[in-house]
mmCIF file of all heavy atoms in Angstrom:
data_model
loop_
_atom_site.group_PDB
_atom_site.id
_atom_site.type_symbol
_atom_site.label_atom_id
_atom_site.label_comp_id
_atom_site.label_asym_id
_atom_site.label_seq_id
_atom_site.Cartn_x
_atom_site.Cartn_y
_atom_site.Cartn_z
ATOM 1 N N PRO A 1 -12.230 -33.311 101.120
ATOM 2 C CA PRO A 1 -11.501 -33.260 102.391
ATOM 3 C C PRO A 1 -11.458 -31.847 102.966
ATOM 4 O O PRO A 1 -11.741 -30.866 102.263
ATOM 5 C CB PRO A 1 -10.092 -33.730 101.998
ATOM 6 C CG PRO A 1 -10.275 -34.482 100.718
ATOM 7 C CD PRO A 1 -11.411 -33.804 100.013
ATOM 8 N N ASN A 2 -11.082 -31.725 104.266
ATOM 9 C CA ASN A 2 -10.963 -30.393 104.852
ATOM 10 C C ASN A 2 -9.793 -29.650 104.213
ATOM 11 O O ASN A 2 -8.992 -30.217 103.483
ATOM 12 C CB ASN A 2 -10.823 -30.477 106.379
ATOM 13 C CG ASN A 2 -9.551 -31.167 106.821
ATOM 14 O OD1 ASN A 2 -8.454 -30.850 106.359
ATOM 15 N ND2 ASN A 2 -9.673 -32.125 107.714
ATOM 16 N N VAL A 3 -9.704 -28.354 104.495
ATOM 17 C CA VAL A 3 -8.731 -27.503 103.808
ATOM 18 C C VAL A 3 -7.295 -27.959 104.048
ATOM 19 O O VAL A 3 -6.443 -27.867 103.150
ATOM 20 C CB VAL A 3 -8.916 -26.018 104.214
ATOM 21 C CG1 VAL A 3 -8.587 -25.804 105.675
ATOM 22 C CG2 VAL A 3 -8.094 -25.097 103.316
ATOM 23 N N MET A 4 -6.996 -28.507 105.236
ATOM 24 C CA MET A 4 -5.638 -28.967 105.531
ATOM 25 C C MET A 4 -5.271 -30.186 104.696
ATOM 26 O O MET A 4 -4.216 -30.233 104.061
ATOM 27 C CB MET A 4 -5.510 -29.267 107.022
ATOM 28 C CG MET A 4 -5.521 -28.039 107.907
ATOM 29 S SD MET A 4 -5.699 -28.447 109.665
ATOM 30 C CE MET A 4 -7.465 -28.770 109.763
ATOM 31 N N ASP A 5 -6.163 -31.183 104.703
ATOM 32 C CA ASP A 5 -5.897 -32.393 103.927
ATOM 33 C C ASP A 5 -5.904 -32.103 102.430
ATOM 34 O O ASP A 5 -5.091 -32.638 101.673
ATOM 35 C CB ASP A 5 -6.943 -33.459 104.253
ATOM 36 C CG ASP A 5 -6.844 -33.974 105.676
ATOM 37 O OD1 ASP A 5 -5.743 -33.882 106.254
ATOM 38 O OD2 ASP A 5 -7.855 -34.451 106.221
ATOM 39 N N LEU A 6 -6.827 -31.239 102.005
ATOM 40 C CA LEU A 6 -6.960 -30.966 100.586
ATOM 41 C C LEU A 6 -5.735 -30.251 100.020
ATOM 42 O O LEU A 6 -5.224 -30.611 98.950
ATOM 43 C CB LEU A 6 -8.219 -30.125 100.340
ATOM 44 C CG LEU A 6 -8.662 -29.958 98.888
ATOM 45 C CD1 LEU A 6 -8.854 -31.306 98.210
ATOM 46 C CD2 LEU A 6 -9.946 -29.142 98.823
ATOM 47 N N GLN A 7 -5.236 -29.251 100.732
ATOM 48 C CA GLN A 7 -4.052 -28.535 100.246
ATOM 49 C C GLN A 7 -2.816 -29.450 100.236
ATOM 50 O O GLN A 7 -1.969 -29.352 99.346
ATOM 51 C CB GLN A 7 -3.797 -27.295 101.101
ATOM 52 C CG GLN A 7 -4.815 -26.192 100.896
ATOM 53 C CD GLN A 7 -4.788 -25.615 99.485
ATOM 54 O OE1 GLN A 7 -3.733 -25.447 98.886
ATOM 55 N NE2 GLN A 7 -5.968 -25.322 98.941
ATOM 56 N N LYS A 8 -2.741 -30.333 101.215
ATOM 57 C CA LYS A 8 -1.633 -31.293 101.241
ATOM 58 C C LYS A 8 -1.722 -32.241 100.040
ATOM 59 O O LYS A 8 -0.708 -32.565 99.405
ATOM 60 C CB LYS A 8 -1.664 -32.088 102.551
ATOM 61 C CG LYS A 8 -0.470 -33.001 102.747
ATOM 62 C CD LYS A 8 -0.528 -33.669 104.111
ATOM 63 C CE LYS A 8 0.692 -34.554 104.347
ATOM 64 N NZ LYS A 8 0.645 -35.196 105.694
ATOM 65 N N ILE A 9 -2.951 -32.659 99.711
ATOM 66 C CA ILE A 9 -3.165 -33.524 98.550
ATOM 67 C C ILE A 9 -2.730 -32.815 97.271
ATOM 68 O O ILE A 9 -2.040 -33.384 96.410
ATOM 69 C CB ILE A 9 -4.650 -33.945 98.464
ATOM 70 C CG1 ILE A 9 -4.987 -34.940 99.572
ATOM 71 C CG2 ILE A 9 -4.970 -34.536 97.092
ATOM 72 C CD1 ILE A 9 -6.478 -35.170 99.751
ATOM 73 N N PHE A 10 -3.125 -31.557 97.132
ATOM 74 C CA PHE A 10 -2.744 -30.792 95.940
ATOM 75 C C PHE A 10 -1.227 -30.660 95.844
ATOM 76 O O PHE A 10 -0.656 -30.750 94.752
ATOM 77 C CB PHE A 10 -3.397 -29.415 95.962
ATOM 78 C CG PHE A 10 -4.747 -29.373 95.301
ATOM 79 C CD1 PHE A 10 -5.907 -29.523 96.025
ATOM 80 C CD2 PHE A 10 -4.850 -29.198 93.925
ATOM 81 C CE1 PHE A 10 -7.150 -29.487 95.418
ATOM 82 C CE2 PHE A 10 -6.079 -29.168 93.297
ATOM 83 C CZ PHE A 10 -7.245 -29.310 94.046
ATOM 84 N N ALA A 11 -0.578 -30.435 96.982
ATOM 85 C CA ALA A 11 0.883 -30.318 96.981
ATOM 86 C C ALA A 11 1.530 -31.626 96.537
ATOM 87 O O ALA A 11 2.515 -31.623 95.783
ATOM 88 C CB ALA A 11 1.373 -29.920 98.368
ATOM 89 N N GLU A 12 0.976 -32.758 96.994
ATOM 90 C CA GLU A 12 1.502 -34.065 96.596
ATOM 91 C C GLU A 12 1.291 -34.299 95.104
ATOM 92 O O GLU A 12 2.156 -34.838 94.409
ATOM 93 C CB GLU A 12 0.819 -35.165 97.410
ATOM 94 C CG GLU A 12 1.209 -35.189 98.883
ATOM 95 C CD GLU A 12 0.417 -36.206 99.684
ATOM 96 O OE1 GLU A 12 -0.413 -36.926 99.076
ATOM 97 O OE2 GLU A 12 0.621 -36.279 100.903
ATOM 98 N N MET A 13 0.117 -33.897 94.601
ATOM 99 C CA MET A 13 -0.163 -34.054 93.169
ATOM 100 C C MET A 13 0.794 -33.222 92.327
ATOM 101 O O MET A 13 1.304 -33.690 91.305
ATOM 102 C CB MET A 13 -1.614 -33.668 92.877
ATOM 103 C CG MET A 13 -2.631 -34.677 93.388
ATOM 104 S SD MET A 13 -4.329 -34.209 92.952
ATOM 105 C CE MET A 13 -5.213 -35.696 93.467
ATOM 106 N N LEU A 14 1.041 -32.002 92.767
ATOM 107 C CA LEU A 14 1.968 -31.136 92.037
ATOM 108 C C LEU A 14 3.370 -31.731 92.029
ATOM 109 O O LEU A 14 4.044 -31.728 90.982
ATOM 110 C CB LEU A 14 1.987 -29.747 92.671
ATOM 111 C CG LEU A 14 2.888 -28.715 91.989
ATOM 112 C CD1 LEU A 14 2.428 -28.434 90.559
ATOM 113 C CD2 LEU A 14 2.933 -27.417 92.799
ATOM 114 N N ALA A 15 3.789 -32.275 93.164
ATOM 115 C CA ALA A 15 5.126 -32.875 93.262
ATOM 116 C C ALA A 15 5.256 -34.088 92.341
ATOM 117 O O ALA A 15 6.366 -34.433 91.918
ATOM 118 C CB ALA A 15 5.409 -33.279 94.709
ATOM 119 N N LYS A 16 4.116 -34.732 92.023
ATOM 120 C CA LYS A 16 4.129 -35.906 91.150
ATOM 121 C C LYS A 16 3.753 -35.541 89.709
ATOM 122 O O LYS A 16 3.357 -36.399 88.930
ATOM 123 C CB LYS A 16 3.200 -36.973 91.706
ATOM 124 C CG LYS A 16 3.715 -37.553 93.030
ATOM 125 C CD LYS A 16 2.880 -38.713 93.516
ATOM 126 C CE LYS A 16 3.480 -39.303 94.789
ATOM 127 N NZ LYS A 16 2.722 -40.477 95.285
ATOM 128 N N ASN A 17 3.874 -34.255 89.394
ATOM 129 C CA ASN A 17 3.734 -33.769 88.014
ATOM 130 C C ASN A 17 2.344 -33.980 87.412
ATOM 131 O O ASN A 17 2.191 -34.270 86.219
ATOM 132 C CB ASN A 17 4.784 -34.430 87.112
ATOM 133 C CG ASN A 17 6.198 -34.146 87.572
ATOM 134 O OD1 ASN A 17 6.552 -32.994 87.832
ATOM 135 N ND2 ASN A 17 7.008 -35.184 87.710
ATOM 136 N N VAL A 18 1.316 -33.816 88.240
ATOM 137 C CA VAL A 18 -0.057 -33.892 87.748
ATOM 138 C C VAL A 18 -0.371 -32.636 86.927
ATOM 139 O O VAL A 18 -0.005 -31.523 87.304
ATOM 140 C CB VAL A 18 -1.038 -34.033 88.927
ATOM 141 C CG1 VAL A 18 -2.474 -33.729 88.512
ATOM 142 C CG2 VAL A 18 -0.950 -35.438 89.525
ATOM 143 N N ASP A 19 -1.046 -32.832 85.797
ATOM 144 C CA ASP A 19 -1.442 -31.720 84.931
ATOM 145 C C ASP A 19 -2.835 -31.198 85.279
ATOM 146 O O ASP A 19 -3.068 -29.991 85.295
ATOM 147 C CB ASP A 19 -1.450 -32.167 83.460
ATOM 148 C CG ASP A 19 -0.103 -32.680 82.998
ATOM 149 O OD1 ASP A 19 0.864 -31.909 83.050
ATOM 150 O OD2 ASP A 19 -0.028 -33.860 82.588
ATOM 151 N N TYR A 20 -3.750 -32.132 85.518
ATOM 152 C CA TYR A 20 -5.138 -31.793 85.804
ATOM 153 C C TYR A 20 -5.580 -32.439 87.115
ATOM 154 O O TYR A 20 -5.203 -33.586 87.399
ATOM 155 C CB TYR A 20 -6.069 -32.332 84.714
ATOM 156 C CG TYR A 20 -6.148 -31.510 83.451
ATOM 157 C CD1 TYR A 20 -5.213 -31.674 82.435
ATOM 158 C CD2 TYR A 20 -7.179 -30.584 83.261
ATOM 159 C CE1 TYR A 20 -5.302 -30.943 81.254
ATOM 160 C CE2 TYR A 20 -7.267 -29.851 82.080
ATOM 161 C CZ TYR A 20 -6.335 -30.032 81.090
ATOM 162 O OH TYR A 20 -6.418 -29.305 79.933
ATOM 163 N N VAL A 21 -6.415 -31.722 87.855
ATOM 164 C CA VAL A 21 -7.089 -32.302 89.009
ATOM 165 C C VAL A 21 -8.592 -32.229 88.754
ATOM 166 O O VAL A 21 -9.137 -31.150 88.496
ATOM 167 C CB VAL A 21 -6.761 -31.563 90.317
ATOM 168 C CG1 VAL A 21 -7.496 -32.206 91.489
ATOM 169 C CG2 VAL A 21 -5.259 -31.564 90.573
ATOM 170 N N VAL A 22 -9.242 -33.389 88.784
ATOM 171 C CA VAL A 22 -10.693 -33.470 88.634
ATOM 172 C C VAL A 22 -11.253 -33.815 90.002
ATOM 173 O O VAL A 22 -10.888 -34.840 90.583
ATOM 174 C CB VAL A 22 -11.090 -34.551 87.595
ATOM 175 C CG1 VAL A 22 -12.607 -34.586 87.434
ATOM 176 C CG2 VAL A 22 -10.399 -34.296 86.261
ATOM 177 N N MET A 23 -12.124 -32.971 90.524
ATOM 178 C CA MET A 23 -12.589 -33.208 91.894
ATOM 179 C C MET A 23 -14.086 -32.978 92.055
ATOM 180 O O MET A 23 -14.669 -32.083 91.462
ATOM 181 C CB MET A 23 -11.815 -32.332 92.879
ATOM 182 C CG MET A 23 -12.000 -30.844 92.733
ATOM 183 S SD MET A 23 -11.041 -29.903 93.962
ATOM 184 C CE MET A 23 -11.843 -30.390 95.487
ATOM 185 N N GLU A 24 -14.696 -33.850 92.849
ATOM 186 C CA GLU A 24 -16.072 -33.651 93.270
ATOM 187 C C GLU A 24 -16.075 -32.595 94.369
ATOM 188 O O GLU A 24 -15.233 -32.633 95.272
ATOM 189 C CB GLU A 24 -16.658 -34.955 93.798
ATOM 190 C CG GLU A 24 -16.717 -36.073 92.772
ATOM 191 C CD GLU A 24 -17.332 -37.344 93.334
ATOM 192 O OE1 GLU A 24 -18.381 -37.237 94.015
ATOM 193 O OE2 GLU A 24 -16.765 -38.434 93.123
ATOM 194 N N VAL A 25 -17.010 -31.667 94.274
ATOM 195 C CA VAL A 25 -17.098 -30.588 95.251
ATOM 196 C C VAL A 25 -18.478 -30.627 95.892
ATOM 197 O O VAL A 25 -19.485 -30.323 95.234
ATOM 198 C CB VAL A 25 -16.851 -29.215 94.593
ATOM 199 C CG1 VAL A 25 -16.868 -28.119 95.654
ATOM 200 C CG2 VAL A 25 -15.527 -29.209 93.837
ATOM 201 N N SER A 26 -18.529 -30.995 97.157
ATOM 202 C CA SER A 26 -19.807 -31.095 97.858
ATOM 203 C C SER A 26 -20.286 -29.725 98.313
ATOM 204 O O SER A 26 -19.506 -28.778 98.463
ATOM 205 C CB SER A 26 -19.674 -32.022 99.066
ATOM 206 O OG SER A 26 -18.854 -31.416 100.056
ATOM 207 N N SER A 27 -21.572 -29.621 98.571
ATOM 208 C CA SER A 27 -22.132 -28.364 99.077
ATOM 209 C C SER A 27 -21.590 -28.054 100.465
ATOM 210 O O SER A 27 -21.394 -26.879 100.818
ATOM 211 C CB SER A 27 -23.659 -28.436 99.108
ATOM 212 O OG SER A 27 -24.106 -29.533 99.887
ATOM 213 N N HIS A 28 -21.332 -29.092 101.272
ATOM 214 C CA HIS A 28 -20.743 -28.881 102.595
ATOM 215 C C HIS A 28 -19.367 -28.230 102.463
ATOM 216 O O HIS A 28 -19.024 -27.312 103.222
ATOM 217 C CB HIS A 28 -20.594 -30.220 103.337
ATOM 218 C CG HIS A 28 -21.896 -30.849 103.730
ATOM 219 N ND1 HIS A 28 -22.742 -31.400 102.807
ATOM 220 C CD2 HIS A 28 -22.480 -31.015 104.935
ATOM 221 C CE1 HIS A 28 -23.804 -31.893 103.429
ATOM 222 N NE2 HIS A 28 -23.675 -31.668 104.721
ATOM 223 N N ALA A 29 -18.585 -28.700 101.508
ATOM 224 C CA ALA A 29 -17.232 -28.171 101.318
ATOM 225 C C ALA A 29 -17.258 -26.709 100.895
ATOM 226 O O ALA A 29 -16.414 -25.914 101.311
ATOM 227 C CB ALA A 29 -16.491 -29.006 100.278
ATOM 228 N N ILE A 30 -18.242 -26.352 100.075
ATOM 229 C CA ILE A 30 -18.367 -24.962 99.647
ATOM 230 C C ILE A 30 -18.784 -24.099 100.833
ATOM 231 O O ILE A 30 -18.196 -23.044 101.085
ATOM 232 C CB ILE A 30 -19.384 -24.833 98.499
ATOM 233 C CG1 ILE A 30 -18.916 -25.635 97.278
ATOM 234 C CG2 ILE A 30 -19.588 -23.367 98.123
ATOM 235 C CD1 ILE A 30 -19.963 -25.778 96.185
ATOM 236 N N ALA A 31 -19.791 -24.559 101.578
ATOM 237 C CA ALA A 31 -20.297 -23.786 102.712
ATOM 238 C C ALA A 31 -19.235 -23.592 103.786
ATOM 239 O O ALA A 31 -19.157 -22.534 104.417
ATOM 240 C CB ALA A 31 -21.525 -24.478 103.298
ATOM 241 N N GLU A 32 -18.408 -24.615 103.999
ATOM 242 C CA GLU A 32 -17.392 -24.569 105.054
ATOM 243 C C GLU A 32 -16.037 -24.080 104.545
ATOM 244 O O GLU A 32 -15.051 -24.106 105.272
ATOM 245 C CB GLU A 32 -17.260 -25.956 105.681
ATOM 246 C CG GLU A 32 -18.536 -26.396 106.398
ATOM 247 C CD GLU A 32 -18.533 -27.864 106.795
ATOM 248 O OE1 GLU A 32 -17.474 -28.521 106.629
ATOM 249 O OE2 GLU A 32 -19.579 -28.350 107.261
ATOM 250 N N ASN A 33 -16.005 -23.668 103.282
ATOM 251 C CA ASN A 33 -14.793 -23.116 102.661
ATOM 252 C C ASN A 33 -13.600 -24.069 102.736
ATOM 253 O O ASN A 33 -12.459 -23.642 102.893
ATOM 254 C CB ASN A 33 -14.429 -21.765 103.288
ATOM 255 C CG ASN A 33 -13.638 -20.888 102.323
ATOM 256 O OD1 ASN A 33 -13.645 -21.112 101.115
ATOM 257 N ND2 ASN A 33 -12.940 -19.903 102.851
ATOM 258 N N ARG A 34 -13.868 -25.368 102.586
ATOM 259 C CA ARG A 34 -12.776 -26.333 102.524
ATOM 260 C C ARG A 34 -11.970 -26.163 101.228
ATOM 261 O O ARG A 34 -10.839 -26.638 101.129
ATOM 262 C CB ARG A 34 -13.322 -27.766 102.574
ATOM 263 C CG ARG A 34 -14.069 -28.129 103.836
ATOM 264 C CD ARG A 34 -14.505 -29.581 103.781
ATOM 265 N NE ARG A 34 -15.757 -29.804 104.482
ATOM 266 C CZ ARG A 34 -16.521 -30.880 104.334
ATOM 267 N NH1 ARG A 34 -16.146 -31.830 103.476
ATOM 268 N NH2 ARG A 34 -17.632 -31.007 105.003
ATOM 269 N N ILE A 35 -12.582 -25.507 100.239
ATOM 270 C CA ILE A 35 -11.921 -25.337 98.942
ATOM 271 C C ILE A 35 -11.167 -24.006 98.857
ATOM 272 O O ILE A 35 -10.789 -23.567 97.761
ATOM 273 C CB ILE A 35 -12.939 -25.444 97.793
ATOM 274 C CG1 ILE A 35 -14.100 -24.462 98.000
ATOM 275 C CG2 ILE A 35 -13.453 -26.872 97.677
ATOM 276 C CD1 ILE A 35 -15.090 -24.437 96.848
ATOM 277 N N ALA A 36 -10.917 -23.388 100.002
ATOM 278 C CA ALA A 36 -10.167 -22.128 100.035
ATOM 279 C C ALA A 36 -8.803 -22.299 99.381
ATOM 280 O O ALA A 36 -8.138 -23.319 99.545
ATOM 281 C CB ALA A 36 -9.985 -21.675 101.481
ATOM 282 N N GLY A 37 -8.387 -21.300 98.615
ATOM 283 C CA GLY A 37 -7.069 -21.324 97.991
ATOM 284 C C GLY A 37 -7.004 -22.070 96.688
ATOM 285 O O GLY A 37 -5.932 -22.171 96.075
ATOM 286 N N ILE A 38 -8.143 -22.598 96.207
ATOM 287 C CA ILE A 38 -8.156 -23.346 94.950
ATOM 288 C C ILE A 38 -8.740 -22.468 93.851
ATOM 289 O O ILE A 38 -9.807 -21.884 94.004
ATOM 290 C CB ILE A 38 -9.000 -24.636 95.071
ATOM 291 C CG1 ILE A 38 -8.400 -25.554 96.131
ATOM 292 C CG2 ILE A 38 -9.085 -25.355 93.725
ATOM 293 C CD1 ILE A 38 -9.243 -26.777 96.421
ATOM 294 N N GLU A 39 -8.026 -22.369 92.745
ATOM 295 C CA GLU A 39 -8.541 -21.682 91.573
ATOM 296 C C GLU A 39 -9.114 -22.725 90.626
ATOM 297 O O GLU A 39 -8.387 -23.575 90.105
ATOM 298 C CB GLU A 39 -7.432 -20.882 90.875
ATOM 299 C CG GLU A 39 -7.028 -19.629 91.613
ATOM 300 C CD GLU A 39 -6.124 -18.728 90.776
ATOM 301 O OE1 GLU A 39 -5.721 -19.158 89.673
ATOM 302 O OE2 GLU A 39 -5.824 -17.622 91.239
ATOM 303 N N PHE A 40 -10.428 -22.676 90.429
ATOM 304 C CA PHE A 40 -11.084 -23.629 89.547
ATOM 305 C C PHE A 40 -11.075 -23.085 88.123
ATOM 306 O O PHE A 40 -11.626 -22.018 87.853
ATOM 307 C CB PHE A 40 -12.521 -23.877 90.006
ATOM 308 C CG PHE A 40 -12.618 -24.666 91.275
ATOM 309 C CD1 PHE A 40 -12.684 -24.028 92.506
ATOM 310 C CD2 PHE A 40 -12.628 -26.051 91.239
ATOM 311 C CE1 PHE A 40 -12.760 -24.747 93.679
ATOM 312 C CE2 PHE A 40 -12.702 -26.786 92.415
ATOM 313 C CZ PHE A 40 -12.768 -26.135 93.639
ATOM 314 N N ASN A 41 -10.456 -23.816 87.230
ATOM 315 C CA ASN A 41 -10.467 -23.417 85.830
ATOM 316 C C ASN A 41 -11.836 -23.666 85.212
ATOM 317 O O ASN A 41 -12.274 -22.914 84.339
ATOM 318 C CB ASN A 41 -9.397 -24.170 85.040
ATOM 319 C CG ASN A 41 -8.005 -23.837 85.539
ATOM 320 O OD1 ASN A 41 -7.450 -24.555 86.354
ATOM 321 N ND2 ASN A 41 -7.460 -22.717 85.086
ATOM 322 N N ALA A 42 -12.502 -24.716 85.688
ATOM 323 C CA ALA A 42 -13.832 -25.033 85.166
ATOM 324 C C ALA A 42 -14.696 -25.591 86.289
ATOM 325 O O ALA A 42 -14.202 -26.210 87.237
ATOM 326 C CB ALA A 42 -13.742 -26.040 84.028
ATOM 327 N N ALA A 43 -16.014 -25.360 86.164
ATOM 328 C CA ALA A 43 -16.979 -25.909 87.116
ATOM 329 C C ALA A 43 -18.085 -26.600 86.341
ATOM 330 O O ALA A 43 -18.526 -26.105 85.291
ATOM 331 C CB ALA A 43 -17.548 -24.803 87.991
ATOM 332 N N VAL A 44 -18.538 -27.759 86.852
ATOM 333 C CA VAL A 44 -19.560 -28.559 86.184
ATOM 334 C C VAL A 44 -20.755 -28.724 87.115
ATOM 335 O O VAL A 44 -20.597 -29.036 88.304
ATOM 336 C CB VAL A 44 -19.018 -29.953 85.812
ATOM 337 C CG1 VAL A 44 -20.096 -30.791 85.122
ATOM 338 C CG2 VAL A 44 -17.777 -29.831 84.934
ATOM 339 N N PHE A 45 -21.965 -28.524 86.584
ATOM 340 C CA PHE A 45 -23.199 -28.761 87.341
ATOM 341 C C PHE A 45 -23.944 -29.926 86.725
ATOM 342 O O PHE A 45 -24.270 -29.910 85.537
ATOM 343 C CB PHE A 45 -24.078 -27.516 87.340
ATOM 344 C CG PHE A 45 -25.440 -27.738 87.942
ATOM 345 C CD1 PHE A 45 -25.574 -28.012 89.301
ATOM 346 C CD2 PHE A 45 -26.582 -27.705 87.152
ATOM 347 C CE1 PHE A 45 -26.831 -28.240 89.858
ATOM 348 C CE2 PHE A 45 -27.835 -27.925 87.702
ATOM 349 C CZ PHE A 45 -27.961 -28.186 89.060
ATOM 350 N N THR A 46 -24.236 -30.951 87.540
ATOM 351 C CA THR A 46 -24.941 -32.131 87.050
ATOM 352 C C THR A 46 -26.454 -31.981 87.210
ATOM 353 O O THR A 46 -27.189 -32.014 86.233
ATOM 354 C CB THR A 46 -24.448 -33.397 87.766
ATOM 355 O OG1 THR A 46 -24.655 -33.270 89.184
ATOM 356 C CG2 THR A 46 -22.969 -33.642 87.479
ATOM 357 N N ASN A 47 -26.929 -31.816 88.432
ATOM 358 C CA ASN A 47 -28.368 -31.714 88.692
ATOM 359 C C ASN A 47 -28.588 -31.362 90.149
ATOM 360 O O ASN A 47 -27.637 -31.355 90.941
ATOM 361 C CB ASN A 47 -29.081 -33.028 88.356
ATOM 362 C CG ASN A 47 -28.400 -34.221 89.031
ATOM 363 O OD1 ASN A 47 -28.346 -34.317 90.250
ATOM 364 N ND2 ASN A 47 -27.859 -35.121 88.222
ATOM 365 N N LEU A 48 -29.827 -31.087 90.508
ATOM 366 C CA LEU A 48 -30.155 -30.768 91.897
ATOM 367 C C LEU A 48 -31.465 -31.456 92.269
ATOM 368 O O LEU A 48 -32.502 -31.194 91.668
ATOM 369 C CB LEU A 48 -30.297 -29.253 92.086
ATOM 370 C CG LEU A 48 -30.272 -28.777 93.536
ATOM 371 C CD1 LEU A 48 -28.853 -28.774 94.079
ATOM 372 C CD2 LEU A 48 -30.865 -27.380 93.654
#
C-alpha cells in the first residue's frame, strides 16, 4: 500500500499487539518510497 495506508495499517497492528509483521515488498513500493519510516529487521530475496 501507499505510505499513508501502510503506516495506518502498522499503527492498527501495533494497537492489536502484533509481534511480527511479514510483508511482501514490491519493486514499485521501493522505488516510490511507500515503505518510508519502516525499519526492516530482515529482508528476503526469492528470485528475479
Side-chain angles (χ1 to χ4, degrees):
N2 65 49
V3 66
M4 289 169 281
D5 293 336
L6 191 55
Q7 289 296 321
K8 186 176 182 179
I9 289 167
F10 270 94
E12 290 175 2
M13 288 183 172
L14 182 63
K16 293 186 177 182
N17 301 311
V18 164
D19 301 300
Y20 280 85
V21 180
V22 181
M23 64 180 294
E24 298 181 45
V25 183
S26 69
S27 57
H28 292 71
I30 298 170
E32 295 169 7
N33 206 19
R34 298 182 212 163
I35 54 176
I38 298 174
E39 286 191 353
F40 289 92
N41 297 96
V44 180
F45 172 67
T46 59
N47 51 63
L48 195 77

